[in-house]
PDB file of all heavy atoms in Angstrom:
ATOM      1  N   ALA A   4     147.890-155.542 108.479  1.00  0.00           N
ATOM      2  CA  ALA A   4     146.477-155.549 108.859  1.00  0.00           C
ATOM      3  C   ALA A   4     145.954-154.143 109.144  1.00  0.00           C
ATOM      4  O   ALA A   4     144.822-153.818 108.827  1.00  0.00           O
ATOM      5  CB  ALA A   4     146.258-156.436 110.077  1.00  0.00           C
ATOM      6  N   ARG A   5     146.796-153.275 109.744  1.00  0.00           N
ATOM      7  CA  ARG A   5     146.341-151.918 110.057  1.00  0.00           C
ATOM      8  C   ARG A   5     145.971-151.156 108.790  1.00  0.00           C
ATOM      9  O   ARG A   5     145.071-150.344 108.787  1.00  0.00           O
ATOM     10  CB  ARG A   5     147.437-151.142 110.800  1.00  0.00           C
ATOM     11  CG  ARG A   5     147.525-151.479 112.249  1.00  0.00           C
ATOM     12  CD  ARG A   5     148.454-150.553 113.030  1.00  0.00           C
ATOM     13  NE  ARG A   5     149.508-149.939 112.270  1.00  0.00           N
ATOM     14  CZ  ARG A   5     149.432-148.690 111.756  1.00  0.00           C
ATOM     15  NH1 ARG A   5     148.373-147.962 111.897  1.00  0.00           N
ATOM     16  NH2 ARG A   5     150.447-148.170 111.099  1.00  0.00           N
ATOM     17  N   PRO A  13     144.622-145.104 103.255  1.00  0.00           N
ATOM     18  CA  PRO A  13     145.641-144.161 102.768  1.00  0.00           C
ATOM     19  C   PRO A  13     145.068-142.751 102.695  1.00  0.00           C
ATOM     20  O   PRO A  13     143.919-142.552 102.321  1.00  0.00           O
ATOM     21  CB  PRO A  13     145.965-144.683 101.370  1.00  0.00           C
ATOM     22  CG  PRO A  13     145.530-146.109 101.361  1.00  0.00           C
ATOM     23  CD  PRO A  13     144.378-146.191 102.320  1.00  0.00           C
ATOM     24  N   ARG A  15     144.268-139.097 101.406  1.00  0.00           N
ATOM     25  CA  ARG A  15     144.058-138.408 100.128  1.00  0.00           C
ATOM     26  C   ARG A  15     143.344-137.096 100.429  1.00  0.00           C
ATOM     27  O   ARG A  15     142.204-137.086 100.882  1.00  0.00           O
ATOM     28  CB  ARG A  15     143.236-139.245  99.168  1.00  0.00           C
ATOM     29  CG  ARG A  15     143.038-138.545  97.830  1.00  0.00           C
ATOM     30  CD  ARG A  15     142.314-139.404  96.827  1.00  0.00           C
ATOM     31  NE  ARG A  15     141.933-138.646  95.670  1.00  0.00           N
ATOM     32  CZ  ARG A  15     142.720-138.411  94.612  1.00  0.00           C
ATOM     33  NH1 ARG A  15     143.914-138.896  94.580  1.00  0.00           N
ATOM     34  NH2 ARG A  15     142.284-137.700  93.596  1.00  0.00           N
ATOM     35  N   PRO A  25     146.730-125.084 105.032  1.00  0.00           N
ATOM     36  CA  PRO A  25     147.447-125.402 106.273  1.00  0.00           C
ATOM     37  C   PRO A  25     147.438-126.895 106.623  1.00  0.00           C
ATOM     38  O   PRO A  25     148.390-127.397 107.216  1.00  0.00           O
ATOM     39  CB  PRO A  25     146.713-124.573 107.330  1.00  0.00           C
ATOM     40  CG  PRO A  25     146.141-123.431 106.563  1.00  0.00           C
ATOM     41  CD  PRO A  25     145.747-124.016 105.236  1.00  0.00           C
ATOM     42  N   ILE A  27     147.460-129.492 104.443  1.00  0.00           N
ATOM     43  CA  ILE A  27     148.474-130.136 103.603  1.00  0.00           C
ATOM     44  C   ILE A  27     149.868-129.706 104.048  1.00  0.00           C
ATOM     45  O   ILE A  27     150.779-130.527 104.144  1.00  0.00           O
ATOM     46  CB  ILE A  27     148.219-129.845 102.112  1.00  0.00           C
ATOM     47  CG1 ILE A  27     146.971-130.633 101.665  1.00  0.00           C
ATOM     48  CG2 ILE A  27     149.434-130.213 101.266  1.00  0.00           C
ATOM     49  CD1 ILE A  27     146.574-130.461 100.225  1.00  0.00           C
ATOM     50  N   LEU A  36     162.767-135.586  99.877  1.00  0.00           N
ATOM     51  CA  LEU A  36     162.737-136.013  98.489  1.00  0.00           C
ATOM     52  C   LEU A  36     164.068-135.655  97.849  1.00  0.00           C
ATOM     53  O   LEU A  36     164.875-134.941  98.443  1.00  0.00           O
ATOM     54  CB  LEU A  36     161.590-135.346  97.732  1.00  0.00           C
ATOM     55  CG  LEU A  36     161.688-133.838  97.505  1.00  0.00           C
ATOM     56  CD1 LEU A  36     160.911-133.470  96.240  1.00  0.00           C
ATOM     57  CD2 LEU A  36     161.153-133.066  98.691  1.00  0.00           C
ATOM     58  N   ASP A  40     162.963-136.944  92.346  1.00  0.00           N
ATOM     59  CA  ASP A  40     161.580-137.209  92.759  1.00  0.00           C
ATOM     60  C   ASP A  40     160.613-136.097  92.349  1.00  0.00           C
ATOM     61  O   ASP A  40     159.462-136.083  92.758  1.00  0.00           O
ATOM     62  CB  ASP A  40     161.495-137.385  94.285  1.00  0.00           C
ATOM     63  CG  ASP A  40     162.225-138.614  94.776  1.00  0.00           C
ATOM     64  OD1 ASP A  40     162.251-139.616  94.055  1.00  0.00           O
ATOM     65  OD2 ASP A  40     162.777-138.550  95.900  1.00  0.00           O
ATOM     66  N   TRP A  43     158.219-131.792  86.418  1.00  0.00           N
ATOM     67  CA  TRP A  43     157.490-130.642  85.870  1.00  0.00           C
ATOM     68  C   TRP A  43     156.995-131.069  84.504  1.00  0.00           C
ATOM     69  O   TRP A  43     157.784-131.406  83.623  1.00  0.00           O
ATOM     70  CB  TRP A  43     158.412-129.436  85.807  1.00  0.00           C
ATOM     71  CG  TRP A  43     158.015-128.294  84.928  1.00  0.00           C
ATOM     72  CD1 TRP A  43     158.824-127.662  84.043  1.00  0.00           C
ATOM     73  CD2 TRP A  43     156.756-127.617  84.848  1.00  0.00           C
ATOM     74  NE1 TRP A  43     158.142-126.635  83.426  1.00  0.00           N
ATOM     75  CE2 TRP A  43     156.857-126.581  83.899  1.00  0.00           C
ATOM     76  CE3 TRP A  43     155.519-127.792  85.492  1.00  0.00           C
ATOM     77  CZ2 TRP A  43     155.807-125.739  83.564  1.00  0.00           C
ATOM     78  CZ3 TRP A  43     154.464-126.954  85.166  1.00  0.00           C
ATOM     79  CH2 TRP A  43     154.614-125.940  84.224  1.00  0.00           C
ATOM     80  N   HIS A  48     150.474-128.970  82.580  1.00  0.00           N
ATOM     81  CA  HIS A  48     150.390-127.895  83.586  1.00  0.00           C
ATOM     82  C   HIS A  48     150.422-128.489  84.998  1.00  0.00           C
ATOM     83  O   HIS A  48     149.621-128.121  85.862  1.00  0.00           O
ATOM     84  CB  HIS A  48     149.135-127.035  83.395  1.00  0.00           C
ATOM     85  CG  HIS A  48     149.079-126.377  82.059  1.00  0.00           C
ATOM     86  ND1 HIS A  48     149.797-125.251  81.751  1.00  0.00           N
ATOM     87  CD2 HIS A  48     148.419-126.720  80.935  1.00  0.00           C
ATOM     88  CE1 HIS A  48     149.569-124.912  80.504  1.00  0.00           C
ATOM     89  NE2 HIS A  48     148.740-125.783  79.973  1.00  0.00           N
ATOM     90  N   PHE A  52     155.620-134.165  92.991  1.00  0.00           N
ATOM     91  CA  PHE A  52     156.711-134.528  93.893  1.00  0.00           C
ATOM     92  C   PHE A  52     156.369-135.868  94.545  1.00  0.00           C
ATOM     93  O   PHE A  52     155.279-136.021  95.099  1.00  0.00           O
ATOM     94  CB  PHE A  52     156.854-133.504  95.023  1.00  0.00           C
ATOM     95  CG  PHE A  52     157.037-132.095  94.560  1.00  0.00           C
ATOM     96  CD1 PHE A  52     155.936-131.297  94.275  1.00  0.00           C
ATOM     97  CD2 PHE A  52     158.296-131.553  94.422  1.00  0.00           C
ATOM     98  CE1 PHE A  52     156.086-129.985  93.859  1.00  0.00           C
ATOM     99  CE2 PHE A  52     158.458-130.246  94.001  1.00  0.00           C
ATOM    100  CZ  PHE A  52     157.356-129.458  93.719  1.00  0.00           C
ATOM    101  N   ARG A  56     157.089-138.805 103.499  1.00  0.00           N
ATOM    102  CA  ARG A  56     156.604-137.924 104.555  1.00  0.00           C
ATOM    103  C   ARG A  56     156.453-138.654 105.885  1.00  0.00           C
ATOM    104  O   ARG A  56     156.134-139.843 105.938  1.00  0.00           O
ATOM    105  CB  ARG A  56     155.293-137.249 104.151  1.00  0.00           C
ATOM    106  CG  ARG A  56     154.093-138.119 104.167  1.00  0.00           C
ATOM    107  CD  ARG A  56     152.808-137.309 103.901  1.00  0.00           C
ATOM    108  NE  ARG A  56     151.655-138.145 104.121  1.00  0.00           N
ATOM    109  CZ  ARG A  56     151.084-138.332 105.301  1.00  0.00           C
ATOM    110  NH1 ARG A  56     151.531-137.722 106.359  1.00  0.00           N
ATOM    111  NH2 ARG A  56     150.050-139.131 105.421  1.00  0.00           N
ATOM    112  N   ARG A  58     154.394-139.426 109.139  1.00  0.00           N
ATOM    113  CA  ARG A  58     152.938-139.494 109.363  1.00  0.00           C
ATOM    114  C   ARG A  58     152.577-138.731 110.651  1.00  0.00           C
ATOM    115  O   ARG A  58     152.323-139.318 111.691  1.00  0.00           O
ATOM    116  CB  ARG A  58     152.469-140.945 109.427  1.00  0.00           C
ATOM    117  CG  ARG A  58     152.598-141.641 108.083  1.00  0.00           C
ATOM    118  CD  ARG A  58     151.926-143.000 108.045  1.00  0.00           C
ATOM    119  NE  ARG A  58     150.485-142.847 108.169  1.00  0.00           N
ATOM    120  CZ  ARG A  58     149.720-143.542 109.003  1.00  0.00           C
ATOM    121  NH1 ARG A  58     150.234-144.466 109.793  1.00  0.00           N
ATOM    122  NH2 ARG A  58     148.427-143.347 109.042  1.00  0.00           N
ATOM    123  N   ARG A  62     151.233-139.689 114.904  1.00  0.00           N
ATOM    124  CA  ARG A  62     152.269-139.580 115.937  1.00  0.00           C
ATOM    125  C   ARG A  62     151.748-139.896 117.337  1.00  0.00           C
ATOM    126  O   ARG A  62     152.331-140.700 118.060  1.00  0.00           O
ATOM    127  CB  ARG A  62     152.876-138.186 115.911  1.00  0.00           C
ATOM    128  CG  ARG A  62     153.954-138.008 116.947  1.00  0.00           C
ATOM    129  CD  ARG A  62     154.535-136.633 116.918  1.00  0.00           C
ATOM    130  NE  ARG A  62     155.574-136.534 117.939  1.00  0.00           N
ATOM    131  CZ  ARG A  62     156.230-135.446 118.186  1.00  0.00           C
ATOM    132  NH1 ARG A  62     155.983-134.354 117.499  1.00  0.00           N
ATOM    133  NH2 ARG A  62     157.137-135.426 119.127  1.00  0.00           N
ATOM    134  N   ALA A  68     150.536-146.249 121.807  1.00  0.00           N
ATOM    135  CA  ALA A  68     150.628-147.694 121.606  1.00  0.00           C
ATOM    136  C   ALA A  68     152.048-148.217 121.789  1.00  0.00           C
ATOM    137  O   ALA A  68     152.269-149.431 121.782  1.00  0.00           O
ATOM    138  CB  ALA A  68     150.118-148.061 120.210  1.00  0.00           C
ATOM    139  N   VAL A  75     155.663-142.611 105.120  1.00  0.00           N
ATOM    140  CA  VAL A  75     154.919-143.165 103.996  1.00  0.00           C
ATOM    141  C   VAL A  75     155.339-142.390 102.749  1.00  0.00           C
ATOM    142  O   VAL A  75     155.671-141.205 102.835  1.00  0.00           O
ATOM    143  CB  VAL A  75     153.386-143.089 104.242  1.00  0.00           C
ATOM    144  CG1 VAL A  75     152.902-141.668 104.321  1.00  0.00           C
ATOM    145  CG2 VAL A  75     152.603-143.874 103.214  1.00  0.00           C
ATOM    146  N   ALA A  77     154.339-140.504  99.466  1.00  0.00           N
ATOM    147  CA  ALA A  77     153.130-139.792  99.058  1.00  0.00           C
ATOM    148  C   ALA A  77     153.414-138.979  97.814  1.00  0.00           C
ATOM    149  O   ALA A  77     154.559-138.586  97.556  1.00  0.00           O
ATOM    150  CB  ALA A  77     152.648-138.887 100.195  1.00  0.00           C
ATOM    151  N   THR A  90     164.914-121.460  93.742  1.00  0.00           N
ATOM    152  CA  THR A  90     166.067-120.714  94.239  1.00  0.00           C
ATOM    153  C   THR A  90     166.745-121.552  95.317  1.00  0.00           C
ATOM    154  O   THR A  90     166.090-122.309  96.026  1.00  0.00           O
ATOM    155  CB  THR A  90     165.655-119.358  94.853  1.00  0.00           C
ATOM    156  OG1 THR A  90     164.710-119.583  95.906  1.00  0.00           O
ATOM    157  CG2 THR A  90     165.053-118.431  93.810  1.00  0.00           C
ATOM    158  N   ILE A  92     168.671-124.155  95.251  1.00  0.00           N
ATOM    159  CA  ILE A  92     168.875-125.598  95.109  1.00  0.00           C
ATOM    160  C   ILE A  92     169.655-125.869  93.826  1.00  0.00           C
ATOM    161  O   ILE A  92     169.560-125.117  92.859  1.00  0.00           O
ATOM    162  CB  ILE A  92     167.553-126.401  95.113  1.00  0.00           C
ATOM    163  CG1 ILE A  92     166.602-125.935  94.006  1.00  0.00           C
ATOM    164  CG2 ILE A  92     166.871-126.314  96.453  1.00  0.00           C
ATOM    165  CD1 ILE A  92     165.329-126.755  93.917  1.00  0.00           C
ATOM    166  N   LYS A  97     170.791-134.672  91.072  1.00  0.00           N
ATOM    167  CA  LYS A  97     169.562-135.473  91.195  1.00  0.00           C
ATOM    168  C   LYS A  97     169.494-136.272  92.493  1.00  0.00           C
ATOM    169  O   LYS A  97     168.426-136.710  92.898  1.00  0.00           O
ATOM    170  CB  LYS A  97     169.412-136.417  90.000  1.00  0.00           C
ATOM    171  CG  LYS A  97     169.309-135.695  88.671  1.00  0.00           C
ATOM    172  CD  LYS A  97     168.070-134.847  88.593  1.00  0.00           C
ATOM    173  CE  LYS A  97     167.927-134.188  87.242  1.00  0.00           C
ATOM    174  NZ  LYS A  97     166.961-133.132  87.230  1.00  0.00           N
ATOM    175  N   ALA A  99     170.653-135.100  95.508  1.00  0.00           N
ATOM    176  CA  ALA A  99     170.611-134.215  96.678  1.00  0.00           C
ATOM    177  C   ALA A  99     169.298-134.423  97.423  1.00  0.00           C
ATOM    178  O   ALA A  99     168.233-134.452  96.820  1.00  0.00           O
ATOM    179  CB  ALA A  99     170.761-132.763  96.253  1.00  0.00           C
ATOM    180  N   ALA A 107     152.951-123.057 100.999  1.00  0.00           N
ATOM    181  CA  ALA A 107     152.016-121.950 101.253  1.00  0.00           C
ATOM    182  C   ALA A 107     151.390-121.460  99.953  1.00  0.00           C
ATOM    183  O   ALA A 107     151.987-121.556  98.886  1.00  0.00           O
ATOM    184  CB  ALA A 107     152.744-120.803 101.941  1.00  0.00           C
ATOM    185  N   GLY A 124     167.628-125.184 104.282  1.00  0.00           N
ATOM    186  CA  GLY A 124     168.832-124.694 103.625  1.00  0.00           C
ATOM    187  C   GLY A 124     168.576-123.529 102.695  1.00  0.00           C
ATOM    188  O   GLY A 124     169.316-123.314 101.741  1.00  0.00           O
ATOM    189  N   THR A 131     153.721-120.762  89.732  1.00  0.00           N
ATOM    190  CA  THR A 131     152.670-119.807  89.397  1.00  0.00           C
ATOM    191  C   THR A 131     151.523-120.612  88.812  1.00  0.00           C
ATOM    192  O   THR A 131     151.728-121.392  87.880  1.00  0.00           O
ATOM    193  CB  THR A 131     153.187-118.772  88.382  1.00  0.00           C
ATOM    194  OG1 THR A 131     154.325-118.116  88.944  1.00  0.00           O
ATOM    195  CG2 THR A 131     152.112-117.755  88.038  1.00  0.00           C
ATOM    196  N   CYS A 134     144.892-121.373  89.378  1.00  0.00           N
ATOM    197  CA  CYS A 134     144.055-121.399  90.569  1.00  0.00           C
ATOM    198  C   CYS A 134     144.652-122.430  91.520  1.00  0.00           C
ATOM    199  O   CYS A 134     145.497-123.229  91.123  1.00  0.00           O
ATOM    200  CB  CYS A 134     142.604-121.750  90.234  1.00  0.00           C
ATOM    201  SG  CYS A 134     142.421-123.392  89.533  1.00  0.00           S
ATOM    202  N   ALA A 148     159.679-145.508 110.704  1.00  0.00           N
ATOM    203  CA  ALA A 148     160.665-144.476 110.375  1.00  0.00           C
ATOM    204  C   ALA A 148     162.053-145.022 110.674  1.00  0.00           C
ATOM    205  O   ALA A 148     162.292-145.541 111.771  1.00  0.00           O
ATOM    206  CB  ALA A 148     160.392-143.210 111.185  1.00  0.00           C
ATOM    207  N   ALA A 153     160.642-139.037 115.824  1.00  0.00           N
ATOM    208  CA  ALA A 153     159.861-138.012 115.116  1.00  0.00           C
ATOM    209  C   ALA A 153     160.806-136.875 114.772  1.00  0.00           C
ATOM    210  O   ALA A 153     161.769-136.627 115.498  1.00  0.00           O
ATOM    211  CB  ALA A 153     158.731-137.510 116.001  1.00  0.00           C
ATOM    212  N   PRO A 157     163.876-127.079 116.431  1.00  0.00           N
ATOM    213  CA  PRO A 157     164.432-126.254 117.523  1.00  0.00           C
ATOM    214  C   PRO A 157     163.427-125.200 117.969  1.00  0.00           C
ATOM    215  O   PRO A 157     162.635-124.720 117.174  1.00  0.00           O
ATOM    216  CB  PRO A 157     165.672-125.613 116.904  1.00  0.00           C
ATOM    217  CG  PRO A 157     165.578-125.824 115.432  1.00  0.00           C
ATOM    218  CD  PRO A 157     164.570-126.915 115.191  1.00  0.00           C
ATOM    219  N   ASP A 158     163.476-124.864 119.223  1.00  0.00           N
ATOM    220  CA  ASP A 158     162.572-123.828 119.771  1.00  0.00           C
ATOM    221  C   ASP A 158     162.985-122.449 119.332  1.00  0.00           C
ATOM    222  O   ASP A 158     164.018-122.096 119.068  1.00  0.00           O
ATOM    223  CB  ASP A 158     162.528-123.899 121.291  1.00  0.00           C
ATOM    224  CG  ASP A 158     161.884-125.213 121.756  1.00  0.00           C
ATOM    225  OD1 ASP A 158     161.033-125.748 121.026  1.00  0.00           O
ATOM    226  OD2 ASP A 158     162.244-125.679 122.851  1.00  0.00           O
TER     227      ASP A 158
END
Side-chain angles (χ1 to χ4, degrees):
R5 281 189 333 97
R15 181 176 170 85
I27 289 180
L36 68 153
D40 294 327
W43 162 227
H48 300 281
F52 305 86
R56 74 174 189 86
R58 292 190 67 228
R62 180 180 180 182
V75 65
T90 57
I92 57 176
K97 299 296 183 194
T131 302
C134 63
D158 294 331

